[in-house]
Structures are given as structure tokens and as C-alpha cells.
Amino acid sequence: MAGRVLVVQMAKLGDFIQSTPLLANLRHLYPGARVTLAGEQPAVLEAARLSPLVDEALALPADSGGLAGSFEAVVVLNSHPRAAAVAAGVRAQTWYGPRLAGDRLKFTPAQDFLMGLMSLNRTLGRFNLVDVWASLLPGGGAGPLVWPAGKPARPAGASLKVGFQLGGRNHHRRWPVENFAALARLLAQLGLEFSPTLLGSSEERVLGLKYERLSQPWGGPPPVNLIGRTSLAELGRTLAGLDLLVTADTGVMHLAAAVGRPVLALFFGPAYGPETGPYGPGHLLYQALADCGPCREGAGCGRRQCLELPRPEPAAALAARLLGHTGAEGGPDFDLPPGHRVWRTGRDDFGQNLQPLNRPRLTEAEALALAL
């Protein structure tokens, strides 16, 4: 009789998509085992039920106690006591990830090292969360993200389809709608013929209405507004039909990467691209750091200046490059302010997911330090 494997994933949709290479490795490490994923977020449970890598999705109410039963292996994917506590009562031959030691968490040596770097300075960490999770399993290299959606057929000569993910889980991760509208205007001025597709959750429909209002004065291409109108399976198929997705750090970004579509990812505020940027080749990541960034999620900052840092002008140039616009190739350098970086995703010689595309300008202090 095949064994059972338990995976505890208490985070959000993007985290589930980022964990799919680990789930694929589990299938190879425990062939024939039944994989159960336990989580709280409805989108994660829906994704698990759609995934060919999961046999059972188990919903855990926020106030539930722990799980019980016997498993061949347990994988805890979150560095939060709640996740380890959920699985603390499970009997398992092998345990991967943090576990409770009294009232504290005990991490694997690799996690201790990476978290130690991040506690000093988050910008010291250069490994994507996909790689960190994949390292939990013995011999577990990170393969591609996995999602069951193929690219639909496109009629010859059809205009380009560019998706705009307008929403984000909090205001510090949400690029202003005005910037999306400005980016669309700049792409049109370059002569690109495209159809914008607006994406987001049902709670974010007001953002789509705002985009439509902003695009009317300059006669921009009418958008296809799908905000709040797609299931998760439909969203995957929609993303698979795009030529490009422009988004901040969202679960939709990871879903687009999983179906193999190019992504222009805009990172600012608490989001740091090397940690949670799009995974796999073919994407561009534009990171704009304020003097105080990357900040901590939920730090309670009332300032919003970091949202304005990824400017529409360089974002439009990068989007045009991903769309194959011949006038947007240029050289490797971009005229970006200090703290702004652009990376192309894809494995380098050191196994990292990012390769620098620009050489950032030095601050006055950095230039002085080099001169001395």
C-alpha cells in the first residue's frame, strides 16, 4: 500500500505556485504516495484541487487545532509557529521544514543560514523562495513551476494581448492605476497595437472602473475588463493567452510564470524581487527601493512614496522589449535612479534566478567611497 505525505501550506496563492517544484520533487521522492495539502486560504485550496501534484486538499479553519494521523513524510512550508503546530501531533517517518521545539521553532541549517542573512539585511539574500523550499528535500533541485494550463491558439495577425494585474493584497504592494494607464499610453505612442486585459479580484472592481475612466481622454485601446469575473481555472487560461503580464508582486504573477507567459514584475515597498520574483526564464523584474526599503510587511508605514518609484517610462520601455518591439532593444543600461535595478530571470552560473540587465547609478556616498 502506498504511503501518505502531508504538506502544510498556510500562506497564499503565490506561495502555493512557488511550492509546485517541491511538490513535483515529492512525487519522485515518494512514488505512489498520496499527497495531502493542508491550508487555510480558499485560493490555495482551489489551486491544490486543480493541481495534478496534489491528491487531497484539506481546509483548516483559522481557529482549528492540530492534525493527527500517520504519514510517510511531513513538509512544513511556513516559518510560523501556527504551521508547525498544525502538524505537531502527526506521526511521520520523516519531517521536512521547521518544527516546534517548546515554544520556539527549530529550523533546518540551510533555513537558519538564509534567515540569518535576511535578519541582517534582506538585500543580502539572492535566492528565490522556490529554491529555498526545493532545498528542503534531499537532492531537490528546483524545476519549473507547474500549472495545468496550455497556451490557447491565437489567430494569425491578432493584436497583442497585454494583461494588467491592477490589484494587490495591500496598498503597499499596489502600483497606482494612474501608472498602468500611463504605461498603456506610452506603449501606444511607440506604435504597438495591443488589447489591455484588466485582472484582479471581485473586491478590486473599482480599480478597473478607474482605469477605464483614465484611458478615455487619450482614446486608448478599450480594455477587456475581467476583474472579479474569472475562476482560478479560467484565470490560468486567460493568462496563457497573453503576450505579456504587467503586475506587482502578486499570486497572479506566479500563475502567469507557471503557464509560461512573459511577466514584467514591478517590485517596491515590502516586496523584494530576488526573494519572490517571477521564476523561470523570460521575465523582467524592475525593483525600485526607497531609502527605507525593502520594508517589513505590516510594519504600519503610512508613507506611500515607494508606490511611485517604479516609473511608467522605464516600465513601458521594458514592456516593449518583452513584446519584441524593435525600437526597444537598446543596450544593457537603463537610466534609472539609485536603488533601481532591472534583472532578467534565468539561471546564471551560480544557480541564481536573476541576471542583472542594468548597471545602477551610484549614490554620492557610494561614489565617494570608491574614490577614496
Side-chain angles (χ1 to χ4, degrees):
M1 179 179 177
R4 297 193 300 161
V5 175
L6 174 67
V7 179
V8 180
Q9 175 56 277
M10 310 296 284
K12 298 182 182 294
L13 174 64
D15 299 85
F16 173 81
I17 302 297
Q18 287 179 289
S19 71
T20 54
L22 175 140
L23 295 174
N25 287 339
L26 272 179
R27 289 290 195 186
H28 291 292
L29 195 58
Y30 297 94
R34 181 175 177 81
V35 176
T36 298
L37 184 133
E40 293 177 324
Q41 298 293 325
V44 169
L45 297 170
E46 184 180 356
R49 294 182 181 111
L50 292 170
S51 174
L53 302 174
V54 177
D55 298 300
E56 177 188 26
L58 181 62
L60 294 171
D63 58 350
S64 70
L67 296 170
S70 297
F71 291 85
E72 194 169 349
V74 171
V75 184
V76 177
L77 291 180
N78 313 107
S79 56
H80 191 280
R82 162 83 173 128
V86 161
V90 167
R91 297 186 303 276
Q93 297 178 29
T94 310
W95 188 289
Y96 303 105
R99 61 190 310 167
L100 285 178
D103 58 350
R104 303 183 64 183
L105 283 178
K106 181 180 179 181
F107 294 93
T108 65
Q111 286 176 309
D112 268 331
F113 172 74
L114 291 169
M115 293 179 71
L117 281 180
M118 291 177 63
S119 66
L120 293 172
N121 184 342
R122 283 177 64 194
T123 62
L124 294 175
R126 292 297 302 276
F127 289 96
N128 193 283
L129 187 58
V130 175
D131 297 302
V132 174
W133 277 340
S135 70
L136 291 178
L137 301 182
L145 303 179
V146 179
W147 187 257
K151 187 174 188 245
R154 289 281 306 281
S159 64
L160 297 168
K161 291 186 178 181
V162 180
F164 293 153
Q165 170 63 26
L166 300 184
R169 65 183 179 185
N170 67 42
H171 73 278
H172 284 120
R173 289 179 179 265
R174 189 180 301 141
W175 206 41
V177 178
E178 293 86 351
N179 287 354
F180 278 103
L183 184 149
R185 184 174 66 252
L186 291 165
L187 290 178
Q189 289 172 355
L190 289 172
L192 286 166
E193 295 184 7
F194 68 98
S195 172
T197 299
L198 307 183
L199 302 170
S201 67
S202 57
E203 295 81 11
E204 297 164 339
R205 286 176 175 158
V206 65
L207 301 179
L209 298 175
K210 185 174 183 179
Y211 178 93
E212 291 173 341
R213 185 174 70 252
L214 290 170
S215 66
Q216 287 174 356
W218 60 277
V224 177
N225 191 343
L226 297 181
I227 296 180
R229 297 175 182 172
T230 59
S231 66
L232 189 56
E234 292 167 340
L235 176 60
R237 289 192 291 271
T238 298
L239 293 171
L242 297 178
D243 294 287
L244 174 67
L245 175 71
V246 182
T247 177
D249 184 17
T250 64
V252 177
M253 174 191 72
H254 296 296
L255 194 56
V259 298
R261 307 316 302 142
V263 174
L264 172 59
L266 307 171
F267 275 67
F268 48 88
Y272 185 54
E275 296 171 350
T276 58
Y279 198 81
H283 315 295
L284 290 178
L285 193 159
Y286 175 11
Q287 175 81 60
L289 287 178
D291 293 339
C292 52
C295 58
R296 291 182 59 191
E297 189 84 41
C301 176
R303 304 162 67 191
R304 295 174 59 89
Q305 82 279 10
C306 60
L307 308 188
E308 299 295 335
L309 289 179
R311 300 305 304 150
E313 294 79 10
L318 294 169
R321 171 178 288 209
L322 284 169
L323 290 168
H325 180 55
T326 55
E329 290 303 318
D333 298 318
F334 292 87
D335 186 19
L336 295 174
H340 290 227
R341 297 292 305 274
V342 176
W343 286 285
R344 177 189 291 114
T345 64
R347 290 289 183 184
D348 64 12
D349 294 337
F350 300 98
Q352 294 183 334
N353 183 50
L354 299 177
Q355 302 175 42
L357 195 65
N358 76 308
R359 293 189 292 271
R361 295 199 334 240
L362 298 177
T363 64
E364 291 185 10
E366 290 170 332
L368 180 61
L370 287 175
L372 294 176

